[in-house]
Amino acid sequence: MTFLRSLILTLGVVVSASVFSFAAIAQNGPLRIEITEGVIEPLPFALPTFMPEAAGSEEIALGISQVVAADLQATGLFRQIDPSAFISQTSDFNSPVQYADWRAINAQALITGAVNVTSDGQVTVKFRLYDVFSGNELGEGLRLGGTTTSWRRLAHRVADTVYSRITGEDPYFDSRVVFVSETGPKNDRRKRLAIMDYDGANVQFLTDSNALVLNPRFSPTGDRILYTSYESGFPQVYLLDVGSVQRRVLAEQQGTMSFAPRFGPDGQTVVYSLSSGGNSDIYTLDLRTNQTRRLTSAPSIETAPSFSPDGSQIVFESDRSGSPQIYVMPATGGEPRRISFGEGRYGTPVWSPRGDLIAFTKQNEGRFHIGVMRTDGSEERLLTASFLDEGPSWSPNGRVIMFMRETAGAGGAPALYSVDISGRNLRRVNTPNAASDPAWSPLLP
Amino acid sequence: MNLVSKTLLLVAAIGLGACTDPSQYGTGGNGTDYNSTADLNGVNDPSSPAYFRETIGDRVLFAVDQSTLGDGARATLLAQANWLHANPEFDALIEGHADEQGTREYNLALGARRANAVEEYLSSQGIASNRLRVVSFGKERPIEVCSDETCYGQNRRAVTVISAGALTS
């Protein structure tokens, strides 16, 4: 077998969408995970360390193998089989698979790969995915290309392909998270914007700690970030270019404060909260024309707006009923419809990128929760509970939520966590310092 | 892609070029605000910001989720207004704060409400609006760090921070 029909993907170059279409998968019976059904037993997979194809490829081959396995394991949907149990020792990427050897150790999926690193820093990874029990390759082998500085992205792409082929879901590992990195005591906290890979690798700071920063949000293409900064002494919305780290203030109006910004799906409309005379309402700003538009005019607090992915509606938080609750209104303004009716206070609603659910923060009986509900407010499900859980952000495929969890007391500090929309697989995300306000990027281009 | 190294360089550049001066505005809590840097004798000088802070009282407290001023708060603010009348060379920045219960966004809006309640009261006592500015810190700047009502009650505050004409200059 050869990679006759394989495709070379070079990161950073526009990739044909057909590469990531998996029409063949649907025919495949056994090797399939339905995420919505609440998996009890993770699917066992074998991943022999990807073979180095040339001298000097060993380190990156090992690194890629480890990241692929870590991505899959961290979903809670897959379980890696200890390589010491392997019967087959793969020595050649193209040699036929001894399915019986893998069945004997109950590997349901087998992932094989090979890595080649050239002296000029080019990395090529080839991989294949096998459905061990049906004795077939699942989808075609793929070849991906990148550089030694972006090898982790190659690994995430491999894992994304495996995840998508087995679950039928869109991928999410090749993505980043912008967040607020926190240092110092609780009564003198220093905050900086930082960006990292979704799994906590490659942390880079985007701002210094001179000005308080809050609530960063990615643009729909991941190239820009909206956030709130006290750079001027007053909270204002800023726009930062991820590539150049150039930033500019938006919507600055003397005597007002602006905060809680988010992009609309067009990447040109910004929805945010503006406080004037003590009253906070929701506005939009068109980045092309700098025109602002006021969407709510109530004496109550209106904040934390989030667009529906089709751009037609905005979900937000308001205390017009006497306590903070979630409302939906047309994106052009108009009469809001309350959708949260459970016990307690609701805030920070965020529309899922799939359009089907709204994630929120809920405060009830002294505890905080992250939850999801349908866009009409029905089928509310609480996914977490703690002293302070807040600020959900959706994975690019709408299957995982990252949020902030803060511990109580004088030594209390925030950290980032993720959880499935089924409420399973609660995990802490590694960050170098205390961290808050995560925002997940779209899948990287 | 050289995004990473470019990002690092530019972050370094931002660090050098930063013009923010956090000491310009107080947080009503730790030792970095303007009032705290006044000299120690200032407490005995009735026209000093230190006197305003220590003797007049620079802050009023609020009930959970509320921005209404109680009788005690009004008495403090009346004294603040009288001091501002007597010391027209000073301006005031009113900081609104919330406790850690509640989301970041809601608390920013709530802090704005509280700061505005104080501003309105001082205005109603004849303090010119161009001497008053408001800012909300939401739950970002607690002065007390425990996680129960003894601390929360101190953190739900509006602090009047005095500065020497900085707001209108």
Side-chain angles (χ1 to χ4, degrees):
Chain A
M1 287 202 288
T2 61
F3 265 75
L4 276 179
R5 300 177 67 189
S6 72
L7 289 159
I8 295 177
L9 305 185
T10 303
L11 296 179
V13 174
V14 177
V15 171
S16 157
S18 63
V19 175
F20 287 112
S21 71
F22 304 112
I25 308 154
Q27 308 160 4
N28 214 290
L31 193 57
R32 180 95 181 182
I33 297 175
E34 293 292 340
I35 289 180
T36 48
E37 288 176 3
V39 177
I40 297 157
E41 194 58 39
L43 185 144
F45 69 93
L47 192 152
T49 299
F50 285 11
M51 279 168 286
E53 289 201 315
S57 306
E58 294 84 359
E59 197 181 329
I60 286 181
L62 180 62
I64 288 176
S65 308
Q66 288 169 340
V67 170
V68 172
D71 279 348
L72 294 172
Q73 285 237 119
T75 63
L77 303 172
F78 301 90
R79 178 174 62 79
Q80 185 179 19
I81 295 172
D82 187 336
S84 66
F86 293 176
I87 301 165
S88 277
Q89 297 300 325
T90 43
S91 55
D92 184 332
F93 180 64
N94 290 320
S95 55
V97 169
Q98 303 302 316
Y99 286 108
D101 288 353
W102 300 106
R103 282 185 203 119
I105 59 169
N106 195 34
Q108 293 192 38
L110 169 67
I111 302 155
T112 65
V115 173
N116 187 42
V117 182
T118 61
S119 56
D120 62 349
Q122 299 299 307
V123 180
T124 307
V125 55
K126 302 185 286 192
F127 74 97
R128 289 197 177 101
L129 171 63
Y130 299 94
D131 177 346
V132 172
F133 282 82
S134 76
N136 290 310
E137 195 171 343
L138 186 61
E140 291 173 359
L142 277 184
R143 184 175 356 175
L144 311 173
T147 66
T148 48
T149 54
S150 65
W151 68 264
R152 292 186 71 93
R153 286 199 59 194
L154 290 173
H156 292 316
R157 290 255 189 175
V158 171
D160 270 334
T161 306
V162 172
Y163 170 89
S164 285
R165 288 182 181 182
I166 294 177
T167 65
E169 300 288 340
D170 289 337
Y172 70 92
F173 304 127
D174 187 23
S175 60
R176 303 173 92 185
V177 171
V178 62
F179 63 102
V180 173
S181 180
E182 302 196 11
T183 54
K186 195 170 175 179
N187 59 358
D188 189 21
R189 202 81 101 202
R190 302 287 150 176
K191 298 192 175 193
R192 306 174 69 179
L193 283 193
I195 192 169
M196 64 185 184
D197 296 353
Y198 99 100
D199 60 358
N202 292 324
V203 174
Q204 307 290 337
F205 291 100
L206 300 173
T207 66
D208 60 34
S209 58
N210 284 338
L212 181 62
V213 289
L214 310 169
N215 293 131
R217 310 292 182 205
F218 272 108
S219 66
T221 44
D223 57 342
R224 291 163 297 154
I225 291 165
L226 288 166
Y227 65 105
T228 302
S229 172
Y230 283 69
E231 203 171 308
S232 68
F234 300 85
Q236 299 290 350
V237 173
Y238 285 73
L239 178 68
L240 179 137
D241 183 273
V242 177
S244 69
V245 204
Q246 297 289 320
R247 67 197 191 283
R248 67 181 173 98
V249 66
L250 300 179
E252 192 169 34
Q253 251 179 281
Q254 185 75 8
T256 69
M257 293 171 261
S258 61
F259 54 100
R262 279 184 199 276
F263 278 97
D266 62 1
Q268 296 297 340
T269 308
V270 175
V271 65
Y272 62 103
S273 206
L274 183 137
S275 181
S276 176
N279 179 35
S280 301
D281 273 301
I282 290 169
Y283 290 70
T284 53
L285 169 75
D286 188 317
L287 290 173
R288 291 159 297 203
T289 62
N290 260 352
Q291 289 284 104
T292 59
R293 176 172 183 164
R294 184 173 184 167
L295 299 186
T296 63
S297 299
S300 46
I301 286 173
E302 276 70 38
T303 189
S306 167
F307 270 100
S308 62
D310 68 1
S312 69
Q313 297 175 87
I314 290 169
V315 63
F316 65 99
E317 166 182 353
S318 168
D319 68 354
R320 61 185 62 197
S321 72
S323 72
Q325 299 292 335
I326 299 174
Y327 294 77
V328 173
M329 68 178 168
T332 49
E335 195 53 39
R337 181 168 45 90
R338 178 173 167 179
I339 64 166
S340 62
F341 290 97
E343 293 285 311
R345 303 147 54 98
Y346 293 79
T348 64
V350 197
W351 218 296
S352 155
R354 301 161 68 101
D356 56 345
L357 296 171
I358 288 167
F360 55 84
T361 304
K362 177 167 171 164
Q363 193 184 350
N364 192 30
E365 294 178 343
R367 304 273 285 171
F368 277 77
H369 309 269
I370 301 297
V372 293
M373 57 173 63
R374 298 218 161 270
T375 58
D376 62 1
S378 65
E379 297 181 41
E380 175 180 323
R381 294 201 309 271
L382 299 183
L383 309 179
T384 73
S386 89
F387 165 71
L388 207 180
D389 285 351
E390 183 182 341
S393 176
W394 290 95
S395 64
N397 70 351
R399 287 304 185 188
V400 182
I401 289 171
M402 200 177 286
F403 62 97
M404 169 198 105
R405 170 167 290 182
E406 188 155 355
T407 49
L416 307 188
Y417 283 77
S418 66
V419 68
D420 284 6
I421 56 166
S422 62
R424 294 176 58 258
N425 201 34
L426 178 71
R427 284 175 174 267
R428 184 167 173 168
V429 181
N430 280 327
T431 52
N433 302 309
S436 58
D437 296 4
W440 216 317
S441 80
L443 204 64
L444 294 177
Chain B
M1 287 201 294
N2 251 329
L3 193 72
V4 166
S5 53
K6 209 156 65 177
T7 302
L8 276 177
L9 281 174
L10 281 155
V11 167
I14 288 174
L16 293 171
C19 56
T20 309
D21 178 14
S23 65
Q24 187 181 353
Y25 302 114
T27 61
N30 53 59
T32 60
D33 60 78
Y34 177 92
N35 288 354
S36 303
T37 58
D39 73 69
L40 293 169
N41 298 327
V43 181
N44 300 318
D45 172 3
S47 65
S48 72
Y51 182 89
F52 179 91
R53 188 181 75 245
E54 302 298 332
T55 307
I56 302 288
D58 67 347
R59 66 198 57 199
V60 296
L61 304 179
F62 297 88
V64 175
D65 274 355
Q66 297 302 308
S67 57
T68 47
L69 302 165
D71 290 344
R74 285 168 187 273
T76 300
L77 295 177
L78 186 57
Q80 287 188 3
N82 290 337
W83 189 92
L84 285 164
H85 278 302
N87 297 282
E89 71 277 22
F90 289 105
D91 292 339
L93 175 71
I94 303 147
E95 301 176 344
H97 298 268
D99 64 34
E100 68 190 356
Q101 308 169 91
T103 63
R104 203 179 303 294
E105 294 89 338
Y106 186 80
N107 280 332
L108 279 175
L110 183 58
R113 258 186 193 165
R114 287 173 176 161
N116 190 66
V118 169
E119 185 196 33
E120 283 189 352
Y121 188 88
L122 294 176
S123 290
S124 76
Q125 297 303 312
I127 307 300
S129 60
N130 66 0
R131 294 178 64 198
L132 303 173
R133 280 203 77 175
V134 295
V135 63
S136 174
F137 283 96
K139 61 176 173 177
E140 304 305 316
R141 291 285 181 256
I143 43 168
E144 298 295 338
V145 294
C146 72
S147 293
D148 57 49
E149 181 53 29
T150 57
C151 290
Y152 294 163
Q154 297 299 307
N155 289 335
R156 292 189 301 265
R157 69 200 192 276
V159 182
T160 306
V161 181
I162 297 301
S163 59
L167 298 176
T168 50
S169 63

